[in-house]
Structure formats: C-alpha cells, structure tokens
Amino acid sequence: MIAAGAIALAAALDWLVREPPASLHPVAWFGRLVEPLDRGWTLPRSVSFWIALLCPLAAGLAVGGVVALGSLVHPVAGGVLAGLALFATTSLRLLLDEAAGVVAASDTDVAAARERLPALAGRDAGDLSAGHLRSAAVESAAENLADGLVAPLGAFALLAPESLALAAGAAAWVKAVNTLDSMLGYPSKPHGWLSARLDDAVMWLPARASALLLTIVARSPDPMLAARRWADAPPSPNSGWPMGTVASALQIKLEKPGSYTLNGVASLPTVDDAERAISLVGSAGLAAYGVAILWEVLVWA
C-alpha cells in the first residue's frame, strides 16, 4: 500500500506543483552532467555505447540508492522518497498547460504561439499557420503522454511490488534514457546513436499502452485500430501510435509540414478540436495513474 501511496503522492504533486524548480530538478541535474559529453569524439559510435549504458545506469542507481536508504530509516520515509522520485521523473500537468497555452495563443496572437511552441515541440515554428501550431501542440501532448508519463510510471508500477528502491531507480533510468535521446538523439550527433536506438526500444510498449489508454477514454475501439494505418508515418517508430489515436478519436488531421500527415482526409484542428484533444490526453494521463494505483492495490490484496 505504500507503493500505491507513492504513486498518489506523485500524482498530487504533479497537479499542484507541476514541476520541481529547475535548481532542484534531478532531470535538470542529469542534463547538466551530460552536457560535457555532447561534443565531437574520435570514435563517436563507440562513445555512444558508453553514454547510453552508463549515464542512465548512474541515474537509476543514484535515485534507487536514496530511496533504499530512506526505506532503511522507515518504510514510510522510503515511500515518500519514492513518490518524490516518481514526481521528478514524470510530467502531465505542465505538458497540458503548455499545450493549452499554444492553442489559446494561436487563436488570438499567432506570433506569440510561435514563440511558445519551441518549449513544447522541437520544430521551426516561424512559418507555421495557426492550424499547424495547434496540430503541433496536440502532437506533442499525445507523444509526451507516453514519454513523459506512461513510460516512467509503468516501470515504477511494475517493479514496486518487488522493491520501492528498484521501482524508483527504474523510473529514473527510463527518464534518463528519454532525456539522452532528447539531447543527443540526432543524425548530426553520432555519439548519441545508441541513445536514440535505446529510447526507441524502451518507448515501444509505453507508446502503444498510451494509445490504448486514449482509446479507452475515447470510449471506442476505433481510434487505436485506425492509428495502425498511420503509425509508420512519423520518423519515430513509436510516436505515431498516440498521435494517430488522437487524430482518429477526434477526426482531425495532425501534420508536420514536410515530414508526415496523420488522417489526411480530415482538417487541421480548430481551437475547440485542439482543446478537446488536450482534454483527452489529460483524461488518459489520469487513467494511467489510476491503473498504476489499482495495480499496486491488487498485487498486495
């Protein structure tokens, strides 16, 4: 039951606090430690192996070690530390708020929406129309449901019955893998080659689980079935699943100009469409927390 409480604590903190301050955020600390590794290397492919292996392992061991020490003091202390670790490695409320901000600005001030988008989606917003800005916001919300919540939460929930320290370490490891991909996983950075491949492998199941959650909250089996037709359109082997599911559930087109189109027979999202899409992602995120808590309760019943 302490594991269920840790998940509930993380969910409550996400809703009330959104994110730890940057100066206290473990993910920000990890990013600063990785920055010196982001440079030219004589043997970049070999270096990519060590970066992808050792950096997430170090993050997982550090977080797991802190939770293990807390559990030695008192089980509840370990549970609180595990909840804080899960809070630091997951994100839902901030994602929804940022996406909603871009959508709202797209209706009244396209220039402001273009300025806000890079914090949410990694693409050039300079020439994007209001519809494409809303599409980018919805795409990012759907994709980050898997990367930012379901993946670390799922790892935590599955391993918590064995050990809270192991669960917290696993969540940190998953978040570190995803952070490395965000920092280094580009064709122009061969030292991040294995980090990108590892992220693809780790996110395979969470992307499809997120599509399933979105389908459940949409109350129809059709969205995920339709998403299968478009899942291979984006360059990522995983992001097309949650994005395509949202596109199908709301019958909207999601498009990154020059790269991919999902549900091309529909129209780009209106403000109302985008708001409903963000709400759908939020409901799926809450469902993910609920399923994780229920899992812990049933395991210990």
Side-chain angles (χ1 to χ4, degrees):
M1 298 306 293
I2 291 178
I7 296 171
L9 173 62
L13 289 173
D14 177 81
W15 187 257
L16 296 173
V17 181
R18 301 202 312 172
E19 288 248 316
S23 60
L24 300 176
H25 204 312
V27 177
W29 299 345
F30 179 77
R32 286 194 288 270
L33 291 174
V34 170
E35 279 181 357
L37 303 177
D38 187 10
R39 61 181 181 85
W41 294 90
T42 304
L43 298 172
R45 284 294 182 96
S46 297
V47 171
S48 77
F49 173 83
W50 294 110
I51 291 175
L53 175 68
L54 296 179
C55 291
L57 180 62
L61 289 174
V63 172
V66 170
V67 174
L69 289 175
S71 297
L72 289 176
V73 174
H74 194 280
V76 173
V80 170
L81 289 172
L84 291 173
L86 184 60
F87 164 57
T89 55
T90 55
S91 180
L92 179 63
R93 176 72 187 276
L94 180 64
L95 166 68
L96 300 176
D97 287 351
E98 288 298 319
V102 171
V103 170
S106 73
D107 191 40
T108 57
D109 189 343
V110 172
R114 288 171 177 161
E115 290 180 3
R116 293 192 65 160
L117 184 65
L120 184 67
R123 67 185 63 177
D124 183 5
D127 296 324
L128 293 184
S129 66
H132 279 116
L133 287 165
R134 291 190 286 269
S135 176
V138 172
E139 292 166 50
S140 184
E143 180 179 6
N144 282 289
L145 171 67
D147 296 350
L149 178 63
V150 172
L153 176 60
F156 183 97
L158 287 174
L159 293 175
E162 297 297 326
S163 163
L164 277 180
L166 185 61
W173 182 86
V174 168
K175 187 63 178 179
V177 167
N178 189 240
T179 302
L180 281 178
D181 178 57
S182 299
M183 296 179 67
L184 308 178
Y186 303 96
S188 61
K189 298 182 178 184
H191 51 286
W193 175 81
L194 190 58
S195 295
R197 302 289 78 75
L198 181 60
D199 182 74
D200 288 342
V202 169
M203 298 301 163
W204 190 93
L205 182 58
R208 287 147 183 84
S210 297
L212 179 59
L213 286 168
L214 288 163
T215 293
I216 291 171
V217 298
R219 301 178 184 177
S220 169
D222 295 336
M224 189 172 181
L225 294 175
R228 295 179 61 186
R229 294 178 294 174
W230 314 314
D232 294 334
S236 164
N238 299 317
S239 62
W241 282 92
M243 292 192 302
T245 302
V246 170
S248 176
L250 298 178
Q251 282 304 299
I252 56 176
K253 177 171 71 174
L254 298 179
E255 182 176 62
K256 182 177 181 179
S259 182
Y260 58 81
T261 300
L262 307 179
N263 198 13
V265 299
S267 300
L268 288 169
T270 63
V271 171
D272 182 61
D273 291 333
E275 289 176 344
R276 288 191 296 124
I278 293 168
S279 177
L280 186 71
V281 171
S283 296
L286 293 176
Y289 280 120
V291 169
I293 292 172
L294 181 61
W295 166 258
E296 303 304 333
V297 172
L298 292 177
V299 166
W300 288 103

